[in-house]
């Protein structure tokens, strides 16, 4: 009985070791594929969720793969803490071992943060973007003809044609035509995996966005 118990313990330890070695190898392969798909200079950090891993590897199906791309620039707009999740990844073990490109995700979600300093770059001259704790604000002075007007506004954030638009929603003491001067877009395109913006919300650092794509190839 004692020998049997020892043998079972050894077998379990071997399987655990194989599991960890296998997951490291597949994570490395997926990291290289994500780097190629997103045109990165180096592989990102990739984590395959769920255990045991060998069961997923043998089935060729990974329910959730997380990746961290760091800080990148798209369309001239720096994105901080860009990260994503690939769901329902189909990656046959044979294709992974042979480095074949037939790896696909049912859905990919990417999120990141645009800081207030970044938003300032695209705001009208003389305007600074801030926050009241819940929503973005804009304050400063703008020239209207020969006159300089002081502006204090609450900004509404919209997703329009795949771009982020900031629009003055409440501007105290100025005509509507002047308030329209506060509307501006972020030239925000070229995100990896051809994801489309689906959600934007105000956060203490600035704006946090979420973008999604379906049936996404993860090329080698």
């Amino acid at each position: 009985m004692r020998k049997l118990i020892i043998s079972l313990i050894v077998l379990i330890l071997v399987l655990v070791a194989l599991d960890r070695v296998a997951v490291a190898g597949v994570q490395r392969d997926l990291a290289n594929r994500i780097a190629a798909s997103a045109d990165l200079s180096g592989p990102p950090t990739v984590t395959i969720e769920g255990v045991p891993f060998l069961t997923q590897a043998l089935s060729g199906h990974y329910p959730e793969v997380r990746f961290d791309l760091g800080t990148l620039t798209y369309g001239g707009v720096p994105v901080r803490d860009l990260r994503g999740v690939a769901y329902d990844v189909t990656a046959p073990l044979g294709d992974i071992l042979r480095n074949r490109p037939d790896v696909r995700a049912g859905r990919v979600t990417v999120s990141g943060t645009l800081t207030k300093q970044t938003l300032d770059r695209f705001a009208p001259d003389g305007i600074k973007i801030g926050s009241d704790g819940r929503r973005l604000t804009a304050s400063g002075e703008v020239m209207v003809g020969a006159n300089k007007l002081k502006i204090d506004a609450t900004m509404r954030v919209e997703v329009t044609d795949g771009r982020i638009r900031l629009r003055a929603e409440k501007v105290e003491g100025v005509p509507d035509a002047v308030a329209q001067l506060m509307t501006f877009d972020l030239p925000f395109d070229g995100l990896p995996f051809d994801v489309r913006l689906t959600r934007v919300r105000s956060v203490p650092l600035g704006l946090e966005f979420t973008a999604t794509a379906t049936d996404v190839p993860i090329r080698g």
Side-chain angles (χ1 to χ4, degrees):
M1 179 62 71
R2 182 179 179 184
K3 289 184 179 181
L4 177 60
I5 293 174
I6 293 175
S7 298
L8 288 174
I9 292 174
V10 171
L11 178 60
I12 291 171
L13 291 175
V14 169
L15 290 175
V16 170
L18 287 174
D19 189 90
R20 294 302 89 193
V21 170
V23 72
V26 175
Q27 285 179 167
R28 183 167 55 250
D29 181 87
L30 289 176
N32 290 331
R33 290 173 184 270
I34 290 171
S37 298
D39 195 24
L40 305 179
S41 59
T45 300
V46 170
T47 303
I48 297 175
E49 302 291 340
V51 292
F53 170 77
L54 285 176
T55 303
Q56 298 183 65
L58 292 174
S59 69
H61 178 253
Y62 305 87
E64 187 174 316
V65 178
R66 296 185 173 272
F67 52 91
D68 186 351
L69 304 179
T71 297
L72 297 172
T73 299
Y74 294 96
V77 181
V79 181
R80 181 172 173 175
D81 192 22
L82 187 63
R83 59 203 180 279
V85 185
Y87 297 98
D88 295 324
V89 176
T90 301
L93 187 58
D95 290 343
I96 292 287
L97 295 176
R98 296 180 181 86
N99 197 30
R100 291 176 178 172
D102 190 18
V103 174
R104 188 170 293 270
R107 177 168 58 95
V108 171
T109 297
V110 173
S111 60
T113 301
L114 308 175
T115 66
K116 291 192 287 287
Q117 290 77 12
T118 294
L119 301 179
D120 278 341
R121 289 174 45 193
F122 299 96
D125 289 343
I127 296 300
K128 187 171 183 62
I129 301 299
S131 174
D132 63 5
R134 296 184 303 108
R135 302 182 64 178
L136 291 178
T137 60
S139 61
E141 296 179 331
V142 296
M143 293 298 298
V144 180
N147 299 316
K148 183 179 289 188
L149 294 181
K150 183 174 176 59
I151 297 286
D152 285 296
T154 299
M155 304 298 287
R156 182 173 67 198
V157 184
E158 305 170 343
V159 176
T160 304
D161 296 329
R163 290 194 169 195
I164 295 175
R165 173 169 293 174
L166 277 72
R167 184 191 301 276
E169 190 171 47
K170 295 179 181 179
V171 186
E172 299 295 337
V174 299
D176 291 342
V178 176
Q180 291 300 314
L181 297 175
M182 302 297 297
T183 297
F184 64 97
D185 292 347
L186 296 178
F188 192 48
D189 50 25
L191 286 170
F193 309 110
D194 293 326
V195 293
R196 297 284 292 177
L197 289 168
T198 55
R199 182 189 180 207
V200 182
R201 68 186 185 97
S202 297
V203 295
L205 285 176
L207 287 180
E208 183 181 76
F209 70 85
T210 302
T212 302
T214 58
D215 192 22
V216 179
I218 305 178
R219 301 177 179 87

